[in-house]
Amino acid sequence: MDKKIVMGSDGSGFELKEAVKAHLIEEGYEVTDLGTQSADQPRPYFEVAHEVAPLISKGEFERGILICGTGMGMNIVANKYPHVYAAVCENTYAAMKCRAINNANVLTMGGWITGSFTGCDIADTFLNTEFLENLEEWRQKNLTKAFATVQEYEREIYGE
């Protein structure tokens, strides 16, 4: 996994974003932060997600993290882009499964819901779990086929 991450938050996710960003930098990640830069000057979730998601869609970043009040607004906007598979996660189990089963490439979290310590754990799990990791062979085959089908749907929808 590439150690380059793009992330962003609105005002409601600012505190959690700052904690996760500091943690990831400490862990050796190169973090590009396109979100709210000051608690005094918050940016709306839909603008931030609209800046981050295209960078994942175009392949400029392998994975991203978006944080708003609940994680849901960022998730909705991010998933409008082709090749973006965003998942709201409120615990490490969900983060592990969204990667292993769904090949999610954008983690969304809620600053009103998730504390800093837990948010850092969720981010670590998301970034350190690979698609199909620790799954039975039969499940890996099914999920590989499922993911290919989702990509076919994208080509139909987006005309690629």
Side-chain angles (χ1 to χ4, degrees), residues 42-69:
R43 297 187 56 220
Y45 75 90
F46 51 88
E47 286 180 7
V48 176
H50 181 63
E51 287 182 25
V52 170
L55 299 177
I56 301 291
S57 181
K58 296 174 193 170
E60 293 180 34
F61 288 86
E62 206 176 306
R63 298 203 196 145
I65 299 173
L66 291 167
I67 305 170
C68 60

PDB file of all heavy atoms in Angstrom, residues 42-69:
ATOM      1  N   PRO A  42     -14.569  26.781   8.975  1.00  0.00           N
ATOM      2  CA  PRO A  42     -14.985  25.462   8.486  1.00  0.00           C
ATOM      3  C   PRO A  42     -15.439  25.515   7.028  1.00  0.00           C
ATOM      4  O   PRO A  42     -15.929  26.539   6.555  1.00  0.00           O
ATOM      5  CB  PRO A  42     -16.143  25.092   9.405  1.00  0.00           C
ATOM      6  CG  PRO A  42     -16.697  26.392   9.873  1.00  0.00           C
ATOM      7  CD  PRO A  42     -15.519  27.334   9.947  1.00  0.00           C
ATOM      8  N   ARG A  43     -15.239  24.404   6.346  1.00  0.00           N
ATOM      9  CA  ARG A  43     -15.705  24.251   4.967  1.00  0.00           C
ATOM     10  C   ARG A  43     -16.828  23.220   4.963  1.00  0.00           C
ATOM     11  O   ARG A  43     -16.813  22.282   5.739  1.00  0.00           O
ATOM     12  CB  ARG A  43     -14.555  23.771   4.085  1.00  0.00           C
ATOM     13  CG  ARG A  43     -13.426  24.798   4.048  1.00  0.00           C
ATOM     14  CD  ARG A  43     -12.339  24.436   3.066  1.00  0.00           C
ATOM     15  NE  ARG A  43     -12.919  24.247   1.748  1.00  0.00           N
ATOM     16  CZ  ARG A  43     -12.526  23.274   0.909  1.00  0.00           C
ATOM     17  NH1 ARG A  43     -11.575  22.440   1.246  1.00  0.00           N
ATOM     18  NH2 ARG A  43     -13.089  23.142  -0.265  1.00  0.00           N
ATOM     19  N   PRO A  44     -17.802  23.330   4.077  1.00  0.00           N
ATOM     20  CA  PRO A  44     -18.907  22.373   4.040  1.00  0.00           C
ATOM     21  C   PRO A  44     -18.457  20.996   3.547  1.00  0.00           C
ATOM     22  O   PRO A  44     -17.579  20.892   2.693  1.00  0.00           O
ATOM     23  CB  PRO A  44     -19.909  22.989   3.064  1.00  0.00           C
ATOM     24  CG  PRO A  44     -19.350  24.265   2.579  1.00  0.00           C
ATOM     25  CD  PRO A  44     -17.973  24.432   3.132  1.00  0.00           C
ATOM     26  N   TYR A  45     -19.098  19.971   4.088  1.00  0.00           N
ATOM     27  CA  TYR A  45     -18.733  18.590   3.757  1.00  0.00           C
ATOM     28  C   TYR A  45     -18.769  18.329   2.266  1.00  0.00           C
ATOM     29  O   TYR A  45     -17.894  17.643   1.719  1.00  0.00           O
ATOM     30  CB  TYR A  45     -19.637  17.590   4.510  1.00  0.00           C
ATOM     31  CG  TYR A  45     -21.030  17.464   3.957  1.00  0.00           C
ATOM     32  CD1 TYR A  45     -21.321  16.526   2.973  1.00  0.00           C
ATOM     33  CD2 TYR A  45     -22.063  18.282   4.406  1.00  0.00           C
ATOM     34  CE1 TYR A  45     -22.596  16.406   2.459  1.00  0.00           C
ATOM     35  CE2 TYR A  45     -23.333  18.163   3.906  1.00  0.00           C
ATOM     36  CZ  TYR A  45     -23.600  17.224   2.919  1.00  0.00           C
ATOM     37  OH  TYR A  45     -24.866  17.111   2.410  1.00  0.00           O
ATOM     38  N   PHE A  46     -19.776  18.855   1.571  1.00  0.00           N
ATOM     39  CA  PHE A  46     -19.936  18.536   0.148  1.00  0.00           C
ATOM     40  C   PHE A  46     -18.823  19.138  -0.702  1.00  0.00           C
ATOM     41  O   PHE A  46     -18.424  18.540  -1.695  1.00  0.00           O
ATOM     42  CB  PHE A  46     -21.324  18.957  -0.363  1.00  0.00           C
ATOM     43  CG  PHE A  46     -21.698  20.381  -0.054  1.00  0.00           C
ATOM     44  CD1 PHE A  46     -21.351  21.409  -0.906  1.00  0.00           C
ATOM     45  CD2 PHE A  46     -22.394  20.674   1.113  1.00  0.00           C
ATOM     46  CE1 PHE A  46     -21.697  22.725  -0.621  1.00  0.00           C
ATOM     47  CE2 PHE A  46     -22.748  21.992   1.409  1.00  0.00           C
ATOM     48  CZ  PHE A  46     -22.395  23.017   0.544  1.00  0.00           C
ATOM     49  N   GLU A  47     -18.280  20.281  -0.302  1.00  0.00           N
ATOM     50  CA  GLU A  47     -17.151  20.863  -1.040  1.00  0.00           C
ATOM     51  C   GLU A  47     -15.881  20.043  -0.832  1.00  0.00           C
ATOM     52  O   GLU A  47     -15.126  19.796  -1.770  1.00  0.00           O
ATOM     53  CB  GLU A  47     -16.903  22.308  -0.599  1.00  0.00           C
ATOM     54  CG  GLU A  47     -17.916  23.284  -1.103  1.00  0.00           C
ATOM     55  CD  GLU A  47     -17.623  24.710  -0.646  1.00  0.00           C
ATOM     56  OE1 GLU A  47     -16.547  24.969  -0.047  1.00  0.00           O
ATOM     57  OE2 GLU A  47     -18.496  25.572  -0.888  1.00  0.00           O
ATOM     58  N   VAL A  48     -15.641  19.637   0.396  1.00  0.00           N
ATOM     59  CA  VAL A  48     -14.428  18.876   0.712  1.00  0.00           C
ATOM     60  C   VAL A  48     -14.454  17.516   0.010  1.00  0.00           C
ATOM     61  O   VAL A  48     -13.490  17.122  -0.646  1.00  0.00           O
ATOM     62  CB  VAL A  48     -14.250  18.713   2.236  1.00  0.00           C
ATOM     63  CG1 VAL A  48     -13.049  17.838   2.554  1.00  0.00           C
ATOM     64  CG2 VAL A  48     -14.115  20.075   2.897  1.00  0.00           C
ATOM     65  N   ALA A  49     -15.565  16.806   0.121  1.00  0.00           N
ATOM     66  CA  ALA A  49     -15.673  15.502  -0.539  1.00  0.00           C
ATOM     67  C   ALA A  49     -15.538  15.646  -2.049  1.00  0.00           C
ATOM     68  O   ALA A  49     -14.944  14.792  -2.716  1.00  0.00           O
ATOM     69  CB  ALA A  49     -16.989  14.835  -0.178  1.00  0.00           C
ATOM     70  N   HIS A  50     -16.049  16.746  -2.596  1.00  0.00           N
ATOM     71  CA  HIS A  50     -15.977  17.015  -4.032  1.00  0.00           C
ATOM     72  C   HIS A  50     -14.536  17.297  -4.485  1.00  0.00           C
ATOM     73  O   HIS A  50     -14.216  17.139  -5.654  1.00  0.00           O
ATOM     74  CB  HIS A  50     -16.891  18.199  -4.364  1.00  0.00           C
ATOM     75  CG  HIS A  50     -16.932  18.570  -5.803  1.00  0.00           C
ATOM     76  ND1 HIS A  50     -17.408  17.729  -6.786  1.00  0.00           N
ATOM     77  CD2 HIS A  50     -16.554  19.700  -6.434  1.00  0.00           C
ATOM     78  CE1 HIS A  50     -17.329  18.334  -7.958  1.00  0.00           C
ATOM     79  NE2 HIS A  50     -16.806  19.528  -7.766  1.00  0.00           N
ATOM     80  N   GLU A  51     -13.666  17.689  -3.588  1.00  0.00           N
ATOM     81  CA  GLU A  51     -12.251  17.884  -3.921  1.00  0.00           C
ATOM     82  C   GLU A  51     -11.440  16.597  -3.749  1.00  0.00           C
ATOM     83  O   GLU A  51     -10.527  16.326  -4.513  1.00  0.00           O
ATOM     84  CB  GLU A  51     -11.642  18.982  -3.049  1.00  0.00           C
ATOM     85  CG  GLU A  51     -12.111  20.364  -3.431  1.00  0.00           C
ATOM     86  CD  GLU A  51     -11.452  21.446  -2.594  1.00  0.00           C
ATOM     87  OE1 GLU A  51     -10.341  21.221  -2.071  1.00  0.00           O
ATOM     88  OE2 GLU A  51     -12.057  22.524  -2.471  1.00  0.00           O
ATOM     89  N   VAL A  52     -11.764  15.821  -2.729  1.00  0.00           N
ATOM     90  CA  VAL A  52     -10.993  14.606  -2.429  1.00  0.00           C
ATOM     91  C   VAL A  52     -11.359  13.459  -3.360  1.00  0.00           C
ATOM     92  O   VAL A  52     -10.480  12.791  -3.914  1.00  0.00           O
ATOM     93  CB  VAL A  52     -11.171  14.199  -0.945  1.00  0.00           C
ATOM     94  CG1 VAL A  52     -10.577  12.827  -0.676  1.00  0.00           C
ATOM     95  CG2 VAL A  52     -10.540  15.251  -0.031  1.00  0.00           C
ATOM     96  N   ALA A  53     -12.642  13.196  -3.538  1.00  0.00           N
ATOM     97  CA  ALA A  53     -13.083  12.021  -4.301  1.00  0.00           C
ATOM     98  C   ALA A  53     -12.535  11.965  -5.730  1.00  0.00           C
ATOM     99  O   ALA A  53     -12.124  10.884  -6.183  1.00  0.00           O
ATOM    100  CB  ALA A  53     -14.605  11.920  -4.292  1.00  0.00           C
ATOM    101  N   PRO A  54     -12.480  13.071  -6.478  1.00  0.00           N
ATOM    102  CA  PRO A  54     -11.928  12.979  -7.828  1.00  0.00           C
ATOM    103  C   PRO A  54     -10.461  12.523  -7.867  1.00  0.00           C
ATOM    104  O   PRO A  54     -10.028  11.889  -8.827  1.00  0.00           O
ATOM    105  CB  PRO A  54     -12.056  14.402  -8.378  1.00  0.00           C
ATOM    106  CG  PRO A  54     -13.134  15.027  -7.578  1.00  0.00           C
ATOM    107  CD  PRO A  54     -13.042  14.399  -6.213  1.00  0.00           C
ATOM    108  N   LEU A  55      -9.707  12.821  -6.814  1.00  0.00           N
ATOM    109  CA  LEU A  55      -8.303  12.407  -6.775  1.00  0.00           C
ATOM    110  C   LEU A  55      -8.190  10.891  -6.616  1.00  0.00           C
ATOM    111  O   LEU A  55      -7.263  10.277  -7.144  1.00  0.00           O
ATOM    112  CB  LEU A  55      -7.567  13.127  -5.645  1.00  0.00           C
ATOM    113  CG  LEU A  55      -7.531  14.656  -5.760  1.00  0.00           C
ATOM    114  CD1 LEU A  55      -6.852  15.260  -4.546  1.00  0.00           C
ATOM    115  CD2 LEU A  55      -6.863  15.092  -7.051  1.00  0.00           C
ATOM    116  N   ILE A  56      -9.140  10.293  -5.911  1.00  0.00           N
ATOM    117  CA  ILE A  56      -9.190   8.832  -5.808  1.00  0.00           C
ATOM    118  C   ILE A  56      -9.700   8.274  -7.131  1.00  0.00           C
ATOM    119  O   ILE A  56      -9.147   7.316  -7.669  1.00  0.00           O
ATOM    120  CB  ILE A  56     -10.121   8.398  -4.650  1.00  0.00           C
ATOM    121  CG1 ILE A  56      -9.653   8.958  -3.306  1.00  0.00           C
ATOM    122  CG2 ILE A  56     -10.278   6.885  -4.614  1.00  0.00           C
ATOM    123  CD1 ILE A  56      -8.379   8.384  -2.772  1.00  0.00           C
ATOM    124  N   SER A  57     -10.743   8.876  -7.669  1.00  0.00           N
ATOM    125  CA  SER A  57     -11.355   8.424  -8.916  1.00  0.00           C
ATOM    126  C   SER A  57     -10.338   8.369 -10.059  1.00  0.00           C
ATOM    127  O   SER A  57     -10.327   7.425 -10.843  1.00  0.00           O
ATOM    128  CB  SER A  57     -12.513   9.359  -9.284  1.00  0.00           C
ATOM    129  OG  SER A  57     -13.150   8.957 -10.467  1.00  0.00           O
ATOM    130  N   LYS A  58      -9.480   9.373 -10.137  1.00  0.00           N
ATOM    131  CA  LYS A  58      -8.472   9.453 -11.205  1.00  0.00           C
ATOM    132  C   LYS A  58      -7.222   8.631 -10.915  1.00  0.00           C
ATOM    133  O   LYS A  58      -6.316   8.565 -11.735  1.00  0.00           O
ATOM    134  CB  LYS A  58      -8.063  10.912 -11.415  1.00  0.00           C
ATOM    135  CG  LYS A  58      -9.169  11.811 -11.903  1.00  0.00           C
ATOM    136  CD  LYS A  58      -8.689  13.253 -11.919  1.00  0.00           C
ATOM    137  CE  LYS A  58      -9.838  14.211 -12.098  1.00  0.00           C
ATOM    138  NZ  LYS A  58      -9.426  15.602 -11.870  1.00  0.00           N
ATOM    139  N   GLY A  59      -7.135   8.049  -9.715  1.00  0.00           N
ATOM    140  CA  GLY A  59      -5.981   7.237  -9.365  1.00  0.00           C
ATOM    141  C   GLY A  59      -4.791   8.016  -8.852  1.00  0.00           C
ATOM    142  O   GLY A  59      -3.696   7.455  -8.724  1.00  0.00           O
ATOM    143  N   GLU A  60      -4.974   9.294  -8.537  1.00  0.00           N
ATOM    144  CA  GLU A  60      -3.862  10.088  -8.009  1.00  0.00           C
ATOM    145  C   GLU A  60      -3.500   9.668  -6.585  1.00  0.00           C
ATOM    146  O   GLU A  60      -2.366   9.856  -6.157  1.00  0.00           O
ATOM    147  CB  GLU A  60      -4.196  11.576  -8.075  1.00  0.00           C
ATOM    148  CG  GLU A  60      -4.297  12.075  -9.503  1.00  0.00           C
ATOM    149  CD  GLU A  60      -4.637  13.545  -9.605  1.00  0.00           C
ATOM    150  OE1 GLU A  60      -4.200  14.338  -8.741  1.00  0.00           O
ATOM    151  OE2 GLU A  60      -5.357  13.906 -10.556  1.00  0.00           O
ATOM    152  N   PHE A  61      -4.484   9.124  -5.870  1.00  0.00           N
ATOM    153  CA  PHE A  61      -4.269   8.558  -4.536  1.00  0.00           C
ATOM    154  C   PHE A  61      -4.965   7.211  -4.501  1.00  0.00           C
ATOM    155  O   PHE A  61      -6.045   7.049  -5.076  1.00  0.00           O
ATOM    156  CB  PHE A  61      -4.845   9.461  -3.434  1.00  0.00           C
ATOM    157  CG  PHE A  61      -4.075  10.727  -3.212  1.00  0.00           C
ATOM    158  CD1 PHE A  61      -4.340  11.849  -3.974  1.00  0.00           C
ATOM    159  CD2 PHE A  61      -3.079  10.786  -2.240  1.00  0.00           C
ATOM    160  CE1 PHE A  61      -3.631  13.022  -3.779  1.00  0.00           C
ATOM    161  CE2 PHE A  61      -2.366  11.954  -2.033  1.00  0.00           C
ATOM    162  CZ  PHE A  61      -2.637  13.074  -2.804  1.00  0.00           C
ATOM    163  N   GLU A  62      -4.345   6.263  -3.821  1.00  0.00           N
ATOM    164  CA  GLU A  62      -4.917   4.925  -3.682  1.00  0.00           C
ATOM    165  C   GLU A  62      -6.063   4.906  -2.670  1.00  0.00           C
ATOM    166  O   GLU A  62      -7.067   4.220  -2.873  1.00  0.00           O
ATOM    167  CB  GLU A  62      -3.809   3.974  -3.226  1.00  0.00           C
ATOM    168  CG  GLU A  62      -3.997   2.546  -3.588  1.00  0.00           C
ATOM    169  CD  GLU A  62      -2.780   1.724  -3.176  1.00  0.00           C
ATOM    170  OE1 GLU A  62      -1.644   2.072  -3.561  1.00  0.00           O
ATOM    171  OE2 GLU A  62      -2.998   0.731  -2.462  1.00  0.00           O
ATOM    172  N   ARG A  63      -5.902   5.653  -1.570  1.00  0.00           N
ATOM    173  CA  ARG A  63      -6.909   5.682  -0.513  1.00  0.00           C
ATOM    174  C   ARG A  63      -7.053   7.078   0.068  1.00  0.00           C
ATOM    175  O   ARG A  63      -6.133   7.883   0.022  1.00  0.00           O
ATOM    176  CB  ARG A  63      -6.563   4.705   0.608  1.00  0.00           C
ATOM    177  CG  ARG A  63      -6.523   3.280   0.109  1.00  0.00           C
ATOM    178  CD  ARG A  63      -6.725   2.267   1.164  1.00  0.00           C
ATOM    179  NE  ARG A  63      -6.298   0.971   0.633  1.00  0.00           N
ATOM    180  CZ  ARG A  63      -5.721   0.045   1.342  1.00  0.00           C
ATOM    181  NH1 ARG A  63      -5.482   0.232   2.619  1.00  0.00           N
ATOM    182  NH2 ARG A  63      -5.377  -1.089   0.790  1.00  0.00           N
ATOM    183  N   GLY A  64      -8.242   7.313   0.639  1.00  0.00           N
ATOM    184  CA  GLY A  64      -8.523   8.598   1.247  1.00  0.00           C
ATOM    185  C   GLY A  64      -9.345   8.442   2.513  1.00  0.00           C
ATOM    186  O   GLY A  64      -9.935   7.387   2.766  1.00  0.00           O
ATOM    187  N   ILE A  65      -9.387   9.519   3.286  1.00  0.00           N
ATOM    188  CA  ILE A  65     -10.161   9.563   4.528  1.00  0.00           C
ATOM    189  C   ILE A  65     -10.924  10.880   4.557  1.00  0.00           C
ATOM    190  O   ILE A  65     -10.337  11.951   4.365  1.00  0.00           O
ATOM    191  CB  ILE A  65      -9.241   9.455   5.766  1.00  0.00           C
ATOM    192  CG1 ILE A  65      -8.480   8.127   5.751  1.00  0.00           C
ATOM    193  CG2 ILE A  65     -10.056   9.611   7.053  1.00  0.00           C
ATOM    194  CD1 ILE A  65      -7.416   8.002   6.835  1.00  0.00           C
ATOM    195  N   LEU A  66     -12.229  10.790   4.799  1.00  0.00           N
ATOM    196  CA  LEU A  66     -13.087  11.962   4.893  1.00  0.00           C
ATOM    197  C   LEU A  66     -13.843  11.926   6.217  1.00  0.00           C
ATOM    198  O   LEU A  66     -14.352  10.880   6.618  1.00  0.00           O
ATOM    199  CB  LEU A  66     -14.090  11.982   3.733  1.00  0.00           C
ATOM    200  CG  LEU A  66     -13.495  12.239   2.356  1.00  0.00           C
ATOM    201  CD1 LEU A  66     -14.509  11.919   1.266  1.00  0.00           C
ATOM    202  CD2 LEU A  66     -13.011  13.672   2.252  1.00  0.00           C
ATOM    203  N   ILE A  67     -13.919  13.080   6.871  1.00  0.00           N
ATOM    204  CA  ILE A  67     -14.553  13.133   8.191  1.00  0.00           C
ATOM    205  C   ILE A  67     -15.489  14.342   8.256  1.00  0.00           C
ATOM    206  O   ILE A  67     -15.068  15.472   8.022  1.00  0.00           O
ATOM    207  CB  ILE A  67     -13.488  13.221   9.307  1.00  0.00           C
ATOM    208  CG1 ILE A  67     -12.498  12.046   9.182  1.00  0.00           C
ATOM    209  CG2 ILE A  67     -14.159  13.231  10.675  1.00  0.00           C
ATOM    210  CD1 ILE A  67     -11.276  12.155  10.063  1.00  0.00           C
ATOM    211  N   CYS A  68     -16.746  14.051   8.571  1.00  0.00           N
ATOM    212  CA  CYS A  68     -17.731  15.109   8.814  1.00  0.00           C
ATOM    213  C   CYS A  68     -18.403  14.800  10.145  1.00  0.00           C
ATOM    214  O   CYS A  68     -17.840  14.071  10.957  1.00  0.00           O
ATOM    215  CB  CYS A  68     -18.729  15.225   7.657  1.00  0.00           C
ATOM    216  SG  CYS A  68     -19.696  13.751   7.299  1.00  0.00           S
ATOM    217  N   GLY A  69     -19.586  15.308  10.390  1.00  0.00           N
ATOM    218  CA  GLY A  69     -20.247  15.066  11.669  1.00  0.00           C
ATOM    219  C   GLY A  69     -20.579  13.605  11.901  1.00  0.00           C
ATOM    220  O   GLY A  69     -20.299  13.057  12.961  1.00  0.00           O
TER     221      GLY A  69
END
